[in-house]
Amino acid sequence: MLSQAQRTTILELHGKGVAKREIARVLGISRVALRQVLRSNSSAVPPLPRAEKAQPYRQRILELFEQCQGNLVRVHEELAASGVEFSYAALTAFCRRHGIGYQPPQPAGRYDFAPGEELQHDTSPHPLTLAGQKRKVQTASAVLCYSRMLFFQCYPTFQRFDCKTFLTDALRYLGGATTRVMIDNTHVVVLRGSGREMVPVPEMAAFAERFGFEFVAHAIGHANRSGRVERPFHFIENNFLAGRAFSSWEDLNQRAREWCDKVNATYKKHLRAVPRELYAVERLHLKPLPAWIPDVYRLQQRLVDIEGYVSLHSNRYSVPVEWIGRRVEVRETKDQIVIQRDARRVVTHRRIAEAEHRRVLLAEHRPPRDQGAPRPDAHPEEKDILAAAPELAEYVAELKHRSRKGITLALRQLLRLVREYPREPLVGAVREAARYGLYDLDRLERMILRRVTRDYFLLDEGASEDD
């Protein structure tokens, strides 16, 4: 079929008096086709009337399309089973022309960003092999919109603490901050609203103010607005994570950083440039980082348990045994757990990234066996008894084993006897009691009283009543 341009050329040459044979030769067309164009005297391409085989079954196709949940393969199978004969290609072409199950294509938009204008941040779950086990992790990614510099890290969960930790590492890696940071409408940052009406959590707003940027969110359902950060997730999953296994979280994130260095120094066809080279221009427009960047931390209060551990996220960290029962302050940073009792007594542990129900014990917090810290004297009365009457040492030792009363009550009663009665009758009575294995302190007191009566209250029988 001749195109509109050929038909226009035929009419123009014929109008100038060029012979039909010459027009057909120059354009390489048949004279029959030439005569048809001259006969129609129009440059418009005539429509090609063709009956559609699927048109008589339109209503049946609509019913099956809903019944088969939009699967045209199943629709074609059901039509064939009912005796309808036309190809699958004819079915799909009919549905496409009549808008059955097809949405008209939408033109793709384009966003242009100036250097240092925007950084996009988002997260996505990805499967990987970590410490010999297959599991899902949260991959957090950040991309500079102008140079396409990429930075990502992986976390077991992604909470507000992890978000601030990641963005701090990302800004350090990129060497500066942009004017704004585009996010998805995530509850980690968003307090209320969405899109342009999004209000960030005060904690996150203060974090953004420290680095001189502001959080903005795209409208719900408008994911193309954050396409700079969405696109690399497929690349990360099918390039970095494919065929790799990692021994620990530290190994995973260190290798992710090294992979980012490699990717950022690689030529990109869609950019026709190397991101690292474009970054050399963008870096001049980034806001400088603060002179001092404090570590992101979570602060919590804990009570040291009876075993001398502090529990945090199901993991237990040891402290000195003297802290048992004390309230301490726990500061959790990216790499450390800092447990502080006061300004001078601080314990530092390496942080476990996730809940593993592990115990972390430092050697100095538990003395070697049989060399434990000296316990306070459980019976101070014994010390007072021996200080007043050292001769009673053997009797006191046996009393602690053989007394029918509680040790504390027995020692307190013996201490009272030492304090209330003279020394000689007391010591004599105790020696006599020890010789006969007598450790009943009530009987011991009666023995002391008999000796006191005999030795200290003697009466002179020869004295007169007048004397």
Side-chain angles (χ1 to χ4, degrees):
M1 179 176 291
L2 300 180
S3 65
Q4 183 175 1
Q6 289 175 316
R7 299 171 70 88
T8 302
T9 303
I10 292 172
L11 294 176
E12 290 180 356
L13 293 177
H14 181 69
K16 294 179 181 179
V18 181
K20 297 178 183 178
R21 184 185 298 272
E22 184 65 15
I23 297 175
R25 186 187 65 79
V26 171
L27 297 180
I29 61 176
S30 67
R31 283 180 285 176
V32 176
L34 175 65
R35 285 194 292 268
Q36 290 178 351
V37 173
L38 295 177
R39 194 179 300 116
S40 65
N41 195 26
S42 172
S43 61
V45 180
L48 181 63
R50 180 181 296 172
E52 294 184 325
K53 294 182 179 180
Q55 182 62 39
Y57 309 100
R58 175 184 173 86
Q59 186 60 35
R60 178 61 177 161
I61 291 174
L62 291 174
E63 295 174 358
L64 290 175
F65 183 83
E66 183 177 356
Q67 179 181 340
C68 297
Q69 300 179 357
N71 191 324
L72 290 180
V73 174
R74 289 287 301 119
V75 172
H76 184 260
E77 291 176 352
E78 293 294 328
L79 289 173
S82 61
V84 178
E85 296 183 359
F86 55 82
S87 65
Y88 176 72
L91 173 63
T92 56
F94 175 80
C95 292
R96 186 167 51 251
R97 283 191 292 269
H98 292 268
I100 301 175
Y102 287 91
Q103 295 293 335
Q106 298 294 329
R110 179 180 179 84
Y111 296 95
D112 295 317
F113 300 94
E117 180 181 1
E118 182 172 300
L119 178 142
Q120 294 184 1
H121 160 59
D122 201 356
T123 60
S124 178
H126 288 118
L128 54 76
T129 302
L130 182 65
Q133 296 182 351
K134 292 186 177 181
R135 54 171 300 168
K136 277 193 175 183
V137 301
Q138 293 294 327
T139 302
S141 176
V143 178
L144 286 176
C145 291
Y146 176 78
S147 62
R148 312 294 179 90
M149 283 283 289
L150 169 66
F151 178 79
F152 77 93
Q153 297 279 270
C154 297
Y155 301 88
T157 60
F158 201 74
Q159 301 173 352
R160 201 161 291 150
F161 168 78
D162 304 300
C163 181
K164 292 193 293 183
T165 299
F166 168 74
L167 288 177
T168 300
D169 290 344
L171 295 179
R172 281 174 171 163
Y173 179 83
L174 298 173
T178 56
T179 303
R180 61 177 180 262
V181 173
M182 171 63 66
I183 61 168
D184 195 358
N185 292 278
T186 170
H187 68 280
V188 174
V189 178
V190 177
L191 175 64
R192 64 177 183 273
S194 62
R196 294 183 178 180
E197 299 179 356
M198 185 274 293
V199 178
V201 176
E203 176 184 350
M204 300 304 293
F207 173 80
E209 185 179 357
R210 175 186 302 165
F211 291 97
F213 68 85
E214 63 174 349
F215 285 108
V216 295
H218 62 70
I220 295 177
H222 193 190
N224 289 338
R225 176 62 178 82
S226 58
R228 293 284 199 276
V229 72
E230 294 287 353
R231 181 175 183 178
F233 282 129
H234 182 270
F235 187 32
I236 292 171
E237 182 174 4
N238 294 278
N239 186 293
F240 174 70
L241 297 179
R244 284 188 172 95
F246 309 94
S247 59
S248 64
W249 288 103
E250 293 79 6
D251 176 47
L252 168 59
N253 286 325
Q254 179 59 34
R255 292 168 69 178
R257 183 183 289 264
E258 294 171 357
W259 187 80
C260 288
D261 293 338
K262 176 183 176 182
V263 169
N264 291 329
T266 304
Y267 179 82
K268 306 297 181 185
K269 291 183 179 179
H270 62 285
L271 294 178
R272 298 184 180 180
V274 178
R276 182 70 66 178
E277 296 175 355
L278 296 177
Y279 170 72
V281 176
E282 186 167 21
R283 185 172 186 178
L284 302 176
H285 299 271
L286 296 176
K287 296 183 179 181
L289 299 177
W292 176 69
I293 302 176
D295 291 333
V296 178
Y297 67 89
R298 279 189 291 210
L299 196 62
Q300 304 184 48
Q301 300 292 327
R302 288 292 186 273
L303 196 67
V304 181
D305 63 21
I306 196 170
E307 297 183 10
Y309 287 90
V310 171
S311 180
L312 185 68
H313 309 314
S314 85
N315 299 309
R316 303 176 71 189
Y317 302 89
S318 67
V319 297
V321 293
E322 297 83 8
W323 295 15
I324 292 178
R326 302 285 185 171
R327 185 168 295 279
V328 294
E329 182 180 84
V330 181
R331 184 183 297 261
E332 178 185 6
T333 65
K334 175 187 175 183
D335 301 314
Q336 292 183 334
I337 300 294
V338 181
I339 306 172
Q340 182 173 356
R341 179 177 171 184
D342 53 36
R344 295 181 178 85
R345 286 175 282 190
V346 179
V347 173
T348 302
H349 290 273
R350 186 181 67 85
R351 176 176 177 262
I352 301 174
E354 56 184 329
E356 298 181 3
H357 302 277
R358 287 172 52 188
R359 293 191 181 201
V360 182
L361 174 63
L362 299 182
E364 59 268 23
H365 294 163
R366 297 296 183 271
R369 191 176 296 276
D370 299 329
Q371 297 184 17
R375 295 183 179 181
D377 190 0
H379 306 293
E381 297 84 356
E382 180 179 0
K383 182 178 179 180
D384 295 339
I385 293 172
L386 298 180
E391 304 90 339
L392 306 183
E394 294 183 4
Y395 187 82
V396 170
E398 289 295 325
L399 178 66
K400 291 167 62 177
H401 295 288
R402 302 175 62 176
S403 174
R404 294 181 179 180
K405 297 182 179 181
I407 298 176
T408 302
L409 293 177
L411 292 176
R412 286 178 182 176
Q413 186 174 0
L414 182 58
L415 178 61
R416 180 180 62 81
L417 299 179
V418 171
R419 289 174 175 174
E420 291 182 355
Y421 295 104
R423 183 183 184 87
E424 292 181 5
L426 172 70
V427 174
V430 170
R431 287 175 179 172
E432 183 180 0
R435 185 167 63 251
Y436 292 104
L438 179 63
Y439 294 95
D440 186 345
L441 296 184
D442 294 332
R443 293 186 63 183
L444 176 63
E445 186 172 11
R446 290 197 293 270
M447 293 170 62
I448 297 172
L449 287 173
R450 283 198 298 269
R451 288 175 176 269
V452 170
T453 303
R454 184 177 65 229
D455 296 339
Y456 290 92
F457 297 99
L458 295 178
L459 297 177
D460 188 1
E461 296 178 355
S464 63
E465 294 181 0
D466 295 339
D467 295 340

